[in-house]
mmCIF file of all heavy atoms in Angstrom:
data_model
loop_
_atom_site.group_PDB
_atom_site.id
_atom_site.type_symbol
_atom_site.label_atom_id
_atom_site.label_comp_id
_atom_site.label_asym_id
_atom_site.label_seq_id
_atom_site.Cartn_x
_atom_site.Cartn_y
_atom_site.Cartn_z
ATOM 1 N N VAL A 582 5.913 49.495 -49.702
ATOM 2 C CA VAL A 582 4.939 50.254 -48.914
ATOM 3 C C VAL A 582 3.795 49.347 -48.478
ATOM 4 O O VAL A 582 3.373 49.367 -47.322
ATOM 5 C CB VAL A 582 4.399 51.454 -49.719
ATOM 6 C CG1 VAL A 582 3.267 52.156 -48.965
ATOM 7 C CG2 VAL A 582 5.524 52.451 -49.998
ATOM 8 N N LYS A 583 3.289 48.531 -49.385
ATOM 9 C CA LYS A 583 2.191 47.615 -49.058
ATOM 10 C C LYS A 583 2.561 46.666 -47.913
ATOM 11 O O LYS A 583 1.718 46.299 -47.099
ATOM 12 C CB LYS A 583 1.821 46.766 -50.277
ATOM 13 C CG LYS A 583 1.112 47.494 -51.386
ATOM 14 C CD LYS A 583 0.771 46.497 -52.484
ATOM 15 C CE LYS A 583 0.151 47.151 -53.679
ATOM 16 N NZ LYS A 583 -0.134 46.174 -54.758
ATOM 17 N N ASN A 584 3.831 46.279 -47.870
ATOM 18 C CA ASN A 584 4.269 45.260 -46.907
ATOM 19 C C ASN A 584 4.870 45.833 -45.632
ATOM 20 O O ASN A 584 5.538 45.100 -44.890
ATOM 21 C CB ASN A 584 5.286 44.323 -47.575
ATOM 22 C CG ASN A 584 4.671 43.514 -48.697
ATOM 23 O OD1 ASN A 584 3.467 43.249 -48.697
ATOM 24 N ND2 ASN A 584 5.483 43.124 -49.662
ATOM 25 N N LEU A 585 4.650 47.118 -45.374
ATOM 26 C CA LEU A 585 5.165 47.692 -44.125
ATOM 27 C C LEU A 585 4.616 46.898 -42.941
ATOM 28 O O LEU A 585 3.409 46.635 -42.875
ATOM 29 C CB LEU A 585 4.758 49.164 -44.017
ATOM 30 C CG LEU A 585 5.572 50.133 -44.885
ATOM 31 C CD1 LEU A 585 4.908 51.505 -44.935
ATOM 32 C CD2 LEU A 585 6.987 50.257 -44.350
ATOM 33 N N PRO A 586 5.460 46.523 -41.996
ATOM 34 C CA PRO A 586 5.069 45.577 -40.935
ATOM 35 C C PRO A 586 3.936 46.044 -40.022
ATOM 36 O O PRO A 586 3.168 45.224 -39.533
ATOM 37 C CB PRO A 586 6.364 45.387 -40.142
ATOM 38 C CG PRO A 586 7.181 46.602 -40.433
ATOM 39 C CD PRO A 586 6.869 46.950 -41.849
ATOM 40 N N ASN A 587 3.805 47.358 -39.793
ATOM 41 C CA ASN A 587 2.788 47.847 -38.866
ATOM 42 C C ASN A 587 1.608 48.531 -39.557
ATOM 43 O O ASN A 587 0.754 49.118 -38.895
ATOM 44 C CB ASN A 587 3.422 48.829 -37.871
ATOM 45 C CG ASN A 587 4.414 48.151 -36.947
ATOM 46 O OD1 ASN A 587 4.095 47.155 -36.302
ATOM 47 N ND2 ASN A 587 5.633 48.669 -36.888
ATOM 48 N N LEU A 588 1.567 48.453 -40.887
ATOM 49 C CA LEU A 588 0.534 49.155 -41.639
ATOM 50 C C LEU A 588 -0.852 48.565 -41.386
ATOM 51 O O LEU A 588 -1.071 47.369 -41.535
ATOM 52 C CB LEU A 588 0.852 49.100 -43.129
ATOM 53 C CG LEU A 588 0.053 50.046 -44.027
ATOM 54 C CD1 LEU A 588 0.318 51.497 -43.659
ATOM 55 C CD2 LEU A 588 0.387 49.800 -45.494
ATOM 56 N N LYS A 589 -1.801 49.440 -40.971
ATOM 57 C CA LYS A 589 -3.177 49.025 -40.696
ATOM 58 C C LYS A 589 -4.153 49.578 -41.727
ATOM 59 O O LYS A 589 -5.144 48.931 -42.060
ATOM 60 C CB LYS A 589 -3.594 49.503 -39.298
ATOM 61 C CG LYS A 589 -2.694 49.016 -38.162
ATOM 62 C CD LYS A 589 -2.698 47.509 -38.035
ATOM 63 C CE LYS A 589 -1.819 47.058 -36.875
ATOM 64 N NZ LYS A 589 -1.733 45.590 -36.788
ATOM 65 N N LYS A 590 -3.895 50.792 -42.220
ATOM 66 C CA LYS A 590 -4.810 51.433 -43.165
ATOM 67 C C LYS A 590 -4.033 52.039 -44.322
ATOM 68 O O LYS A 590 -3.063 52.752 -44.112
ATOM 69 C CB LYS A 590 -5.634 52.522 -42.474
ATOM 70 C CG LYS A 590 -6.593 52.006 -41.423
ATOM 71 C CD LYS A 590 -7.380 53.138 -40.780
ATOM 72 C CE LYS A 590 -8.331 52.621 -39.708
ATOM 73 N NZ LYS A 590 -9.081 53.734 -39.060
ATOM 74 N N LEU A 591 -4.485 51.737 -45.531
ATOM 75 C CA LEU A 591 -3.883 52.286 -46.740
ATOM 76 C C LEU A 591 -5.014 52.740 -47.652
ATOM 77 O O LEU A 591 -5.716 51.927 -48.235
ATOM 78 C CB LEU A 591 -3.013 51.225 -47.427
ATOM 79 C CG LEU A 591 -2.388 51.601 -48.762
ATOM 80 C CD1 LEU A 591 -1.545 52.865 -48.632
ATOM 81 C CD2 LEU A 591 -1.534 50.459 -49.288
ATOM 82 N N ASN A 592 -5.207 54.056 -47.751
ATOM 83 C CA ASN A 592 -6.300 54.617 -48.543
ATOM 84 C C ASN A 592 -5.775 55.006 -49.916
ATOM 85 O O ASN A 592 -5.018 55.962 -50.052
ATOM 86 C CB ASN A 592 -6.883 55.847 -47.828
ATOM 87 C CG ASN A 592 -8.129 56.379 -48.510
ATOM 88 O OD1 ASN A 592 -8.471 55.991 -49.619
ATOM 89 N ND2 ASN A 592 -8.822 57.283 -47.844
ATOM 90 N N VAL A 593 -6.158 54.255 -50.960
ATOM 91 C CA VAL A 593 -5.709 54.530 -52.327
ATOM 92 C C VAL A 593 -6.890 54.827 -53.253
ATOM 93 O O VAL A 593 -6.779 54.707 -54.470
ATOM 94 C CB VAL A 593 -4.896 53.345 -52.884
ATOM 95 C CG1 VAL A 593 -3.627 53.132 -52.100
ATOM 96 C CG2 VAL A 593 -5.744 52.066 -52.880
ATOM 97 N N GLU A 594 -7.996 55.239 -52.691
ATOM 98 C CA GLU A 594 -9.197 55.482 -53.486
ATOM 99 C C GLU A 594 -8.979 56.569 -54.542
ATOM 100 O O GLU A 594 -8.203 57.499 -54.355
ATOM 101 C CB GLU A 594 -10.358 55.878 -52.570
ATOM 102 C CG GLU A 594 -10.825 54.754 -51.663
ATOM 103 C CD GLU A 594 -11.996 55.170 -50.788
ATOM 104 O OE1 GLU A 594 -12.393 56.346 -50.862
ATOM 105 O OE2 GLU A 594 -12.496 54.323 -50.029
ATOM 106 N N ARG A 595 -9.673 56.408 -55.658
ATOM 107 C CA ARG A 595 -9.695 57.379 -56.751
ATOM 108 C C ARG A 595 -8.298 57.656 -57.321
ATOM 109 O O ARG A 595 -7.865 58.799 -57.418
ATOM 110 C CB ARG A 595 -10.376 58.679 -56.312
ATOM 111 C CG ARG A 595 -11.850 58.497 -55.972
ATOM 112 C CD ARG A 595 -12.481 59.776 -55.472
ATOM 113 N NE ARG A 595 -11.879 60.234 -54.237
ATOM 114 C CZ ARG A 595 -12.183 59.749 -53.026
ATOM 115 N NH1 ARG A 595 -13.096 58.796 -52.911
ATOM 116 N NH2 ARG A 595 -11.597 60.208 -51.942
ATOM 117 N N ASN A 596 -7.617 56.568 -57.675
ATOM 118 C CA ASN A 596 -6.377 56.635 -58.435
ATOM 119 C C ASN A 596 -6.585 55.844 -59.729
ATOM 120 O O ASN A 596 -7.350 54.873 -59.743
ATOM 121 C CB ASN A 596 -5.205 56.038 -57.645
ATOM 122 C CG ASN A 596 -4.601 57.025 -56.663
ATOM 123 O OD1 ASN A 596 -3.870 57.928 -57.040
ATOM 124 N ND2 ASN A 596 -4.921 56.854 -55.394
ATOM 125 N N PRO A 597 -5.934 56.222 -60.826
ATOM 126 C CA PRO A 597 -6.158 55.551 -62.122
ATOM 127 C C PRO A 597 -5.370 54.258 -62.290
ATOM 128 O O PRO A 597 -4.585 54.111 -63.222
ATOM 129 C CB PRO A 597 -5.697 56.614 -63.130
ATOM 130 C CG PRO A 597 -4.600 57.332 -62.417
ATOM 131 C CD PRO A 597 -5.038 57.396 -60.968
ATOM 132 N N PHE A 598 -5.588 53.302 -61.390
ATOM 133 C CA PHE A 598 -4.905 52.025 -61.513
ATOM 134 C C PHE A 598 -5.330 51.345 -62.812
ATOM 135 O O PHE A 598 -6.527 51.310 -63.132
ATOM 136 C CB PHE A 598 -5.228 51.120 -60.327
ATOM 137 C CG PHE A 598 -4.703 51.641 -59.010
ATOM 138 C CD1 PHE A 598 -5.564 51.938 -57.962
ATOM 139 C CD2 PHE A 598 -3.349 51.831 -58.824
ATOM 140 C CE1 PHE A 598 -5.086 52.415 -56.758
ATOM 141 C CE2 PHE A 598 -2.860 52.305 -57.612
ATOM 142 C CZ PHE A 598 -3.721 52.598 -56.583
ATOM 143 N N PRO A 599 -4.386 50.781 -63.567
ATOM 144 C CA PRO A 599 -4.737 50.121 -64.828
ATOM 145 C C PRO A 599 -5.640 48.914 -64.628
ATOM 146 O O PRO A 599 -6.430 48.567 -65.484
ATOM 147 C CB PRO A 599 -3.378 49.716 -65.415
ATOM 148 C CG PRO A 599 -2.464 49.656 -64.228
ATOM 149 C CD PRO A 599 -2.943 50.737 -63.297
ATOM 150 N N ASP A 600 -5.530 48.283 -63.471
ATOM 151 C CA ASP A 600 -6.351 47.123 -63.143
ATOM 152 C C ASP A 600 -7.030 47.412 -61.819
ATOM 153 O O ASP A 600 -6.381 47.721 -60.830
ATOM 154 C CB ASP A 600 -5.480 45.866 -63.021
ATOM 155 C CG ASP A 600 -6.311 44.609 -62.871
ATOM 156 O OD1 ASP A 600 -7.486 44.721 -62.478
ATOM 157 O OD2 ASP A 600 -5.778 43.515 -63.140
ATOM 158 N N SER A 601 -8.339 47.333 -61.774
ATOM 159 C CA SER A 601 -9.069 47.656 -60.550
ATOM 160 C C SER A 601 -8.665 46.758 -59.395
ATOM 161 O O SER A 601 -8.891 47.081 -58.233
ATOM 162 C CB SER A 601 -10.581 47.532 -60.778
ATOM 163 O OG SER A 601 -10.920 46.209 -61.171
ATOM 164 N N LYS A 602 -8.041 45.608 -59.678
ATOM 165 C CA LYS A 602 -7.633 44.693 -58.617
ATOM 166 C C LYS A 602 -6.571 45.329 -57.723
ATOM 167 O O LYS A 602 -6.410 44.942 -56.571
ATOM 168 C CB LYS A 602 -7.088 43.390 -59.210
ATOM 169 C CG LYS A 602 -8.157 42.526 -59.861
ATOM 170 C CD LYS A 602 -7.555 41.238 -60.371
ATOM 171 C CE LYS A 602 -8.624 40.350 -61.005
ATOM 172 N NZ LYS A 602 -8.049 39.086 -61.519
ATOM 173 N N GLU A 603 -5.829 46.300 -58.260
ATOM 174 C CA GLU A 603 -4.778 46.962 -57.470
ATOM 175 C C GLU A 603 -5.377 47.579 -56.224
ATOM 176 O O GLU A 603 -4.874 47.407 -55.117
ATOM 177 C CB GLU A 603 -4.111 48.048 -58.315
ATOM 178 C CG GLU A 603 -3.089 48.888 -57.569
ATOM 179 C CD GLU A 603 -1.761 48.209 -57.439
ATOM 180 O OE1 GLU A 603 -1.464 47.333 -58.277
ATOM 181 O OE2 GLU A 603 -1.011 48.524 -56.503
ATOM 182 N N GLU A 604 -6.484 48.314 -56.396
ATOM 183 C CA GLU A 604 -7.118 48.956 -55.251
ATOM 184 C C GLU A 604 -7.754 47.916 -54.349
ATOM 185 O O GLU A 604 -7.714 48.023 -53.134
ATOM 186 C CB GLU A 604 -8.172 49.957 -55.723
ATOM 187 C CG GLU A 604 -8.847 50.704 -54.589
ATOM 188 C CD GLU A 604 -9.745 51.832 -55.073
ATOM 189 O OE1 GLU A 604 -9.696 52.158 -56.264
ATOM 190 O OE2 GLU A 604 -10.495 52.366 -54.239
ATOM 191 N N GLU A 605 -8.339 46.879 -54.945
ATOM 192 C CA GLU A 605 -8.989 45.843 -54.144
ATOM 193 C C GLU A 605 -7.982 45.124 -53.258
ATOM 194 O O GLU A 605 -8.249 44.811 -52.112
ATOM 195 C CB GLU A 605 -9.683 44.836 -55.064
ATOM 196 C CG GLU A 605 -10.893 45.429 -55.791
ATOM 197 C CD GLU A 605 -11.501 44.424 -56.757
ATOM 198 O OE1 GLU A 605 -11.009 43.276 -56.794
ATOM 199 O OE2 GLU A 605 -12.445 44.792 -57.463
ATOM 200 N N GLU A 606 -6.790 44.869 -53.791
ATOM 201 C CA GLU A 606 -5.781 44.117 -53.055
ATOM 202 C C GLU A 606 -5.355 44.817 -51.776
ATOM 203 O O GLU A 606 -5.189 44.186 -50.740
ATOM 204 C CB GLU A 606 -4.551 43.890 -53.944
ATOM 205 C CG GLU A 606 -4.761 42.821 -54.995
ATOM 206 C CD GLU A 606 -3.531 42.675 -55.876
ATOM 207 O OE1 GLU A 606 -2.539 43.376 -55.597
ATOM 208 O OE2 GLU A 606 -3.577 41.886 -56.827
ATOM 209 N N VAL A 607 -5.167 46.148 -51.849
ATOM 210 C CA VAL A 607 -4.664 46.855 -50.684
ATOM 211 C C VAL A 607 -5.749 47.181 -49.681
ATOM 212 O O VAL A 607 -5.462 47.610 -48.566
ATOM 213 C CB VAL A 607 -3.938 48.160 -51.097
ATOM 214 C CG1 VAL A 607 -2.726 47.842 -51.920
ATOM 215 C CG2 VAL A 607 -4.872 49.098 -51.838
ATOM 216 N N GLN A 608 -7.028 46.999 -50.058
ATOM 217 C CA GLN A 608 -8.098 47.313 -49.132
ATOM 218 C C GLN A 608 -8.908 46.089 -48.726
ATOM 219 O O GLN A 608 -9.819 46.158 -47.916
ATOM 220 C CB GLN A 608 -9.027 48.370 -49.744
ATOM 221 C CG GLN A 608 -8.300 49.676 -50.030
ATOM 222 C CD GLN A 608 -9.255 50.832 -50.232
ATOM 223 O OE1 GLN A 608 -10.196 50.999 -49.473
ATOM 224 N NE2 GLN A 608 -9.007 51.634 -51.227
ATOM 225 N N ASP A 609 -8.582 44.944 -49.320
ATOM 226 C CA ASP A 609 -9.326 43.735 -49.008
ATOM 227 C C ASP A 609 -9.124 43.296 -47.564
ATOM 228 O O ASP A 609 -8.120 43.608 -46.930
ATOM 229 C CB ASP A 609 -8.863 42.595 -49.923
ATOM 230 C CG ASP A 609 -9.931 42.221 -50.935
ATOM 231 O OD1 ASP A 609 -11.069 42.671 -50.760
ATOM 232 O OD2 ASP A 609 -9.608 41.489 -51.892
ATOM 233 N N ASP A 610 -10.108 42.554 -47.070
ATOM 234 C CA ASP A 610 -9.979 41.928 -45.765
ATOM 235 C C ASP A 610 -8.774 40.981 -45.819
ATOM 236 O O ASP A 610 -8.715 40.098 -46.681
ATOM 237 C CB ASP A 610 -11.270 41.147 -45.475
ATOM 238 C CG ASP A 610 -11.219 40.445 -44.127
ATOM 239 O OD1 ASP A 610 -10.236 40.606 -43.386
ATOM 240 O OD2 ASP A 610 -12.180 39.732 -43.833
ATOM 241 N N PRO A 611 -7.784 41.150 -44.933
ATOM 242 C CA PRO A 611 -6.599 40.300 -44.989
ATOM 243 C C PRO A 611 -6.876 38.842 -44.646
ATOM 244 O O PRO A 611 -6.071 37.976 -44.934
ATOM 245 C CB PRO A 611 -5.670 40.928 -43.937
ATOM 246 C CG PRO A 611 -6.593 41.625 -42.990
ATOM 247 C CD PRO A 611 -7.716 42.127 -43.848
ATOM 248 N N ILE A 612 -8.029 38.551 -44.034
ATOM 249 C CA ILE A 612 -8.370 37.179 -43.672
ATOM 250 C C ILE A 612 -9.015 36.491 -44.869
ATOM 251 O O ILE A 612 -10.062 36.907 -45.357
ATOM 252 C CB ILE A 612 -9.354 37.135 -42.479
ATOM 253 C CG1 ILE A 612 -8.727 37.834 -41.262
ATOM 254 C CG2 ILE A 612 -9.718 35.697 -42.137
ATOM 255 C CD1 ILE A 612 -9.665 37.928 -40.092
ATOM 256 N N LYS A 613 -8.388 35.476 -45.382
ATOM 257 C CA LYS A 613 -8.907 34.738 -46.522
ATOM 258 C C LYS A 613 -9.826 33.625 -46.030
ATOM 259 O O LYS A 613 -9.435 32.788 -45.230
ATOM 260 C CB LYS A 613 -7.754 34.141 -47.340
ATOM 261 C CG LYS A 613 -6.743 35.184 -47.821
ATOM 262 C CD LYS A 613 -7.382 36.216 -48.706
ATOM 263 C CE LYS A 613 -6.353 37.238 -49.174
ATOM 264 N NZ LYS A 613 -6.947 38.313 -49.976
#
């Protein structure tokens, strides 16, 4: 799901991810 080719927005806020990095990864600026 994360790697869908045309995906622009993925809202995963307020889920009990065991590691907060999970939410950060899918919402981070893709430009490093």
Side-chain angles (χ1 to χ4, degrees):
V582 174
K583 288 182 184 178
N584 295 333
L585 283 168
N587 293 307
L588 193 62
K589 303 298 181 184
K590 294 180 181 179
L591 176 56
N592 187 349
V593 296
E594 293 181 357
R595 296 177 297 279
N596 277 284
F598 294 119
D600 188 340
S601 60
K602 290 182 179 180
E603 175 80 24
E604 182 172 350
E605 291 176 3
E606 284 178 3
V607 296
Q608 298 197 45
D609 250 347
D610 180 4
I612 301 176
K613 303 300 180 183

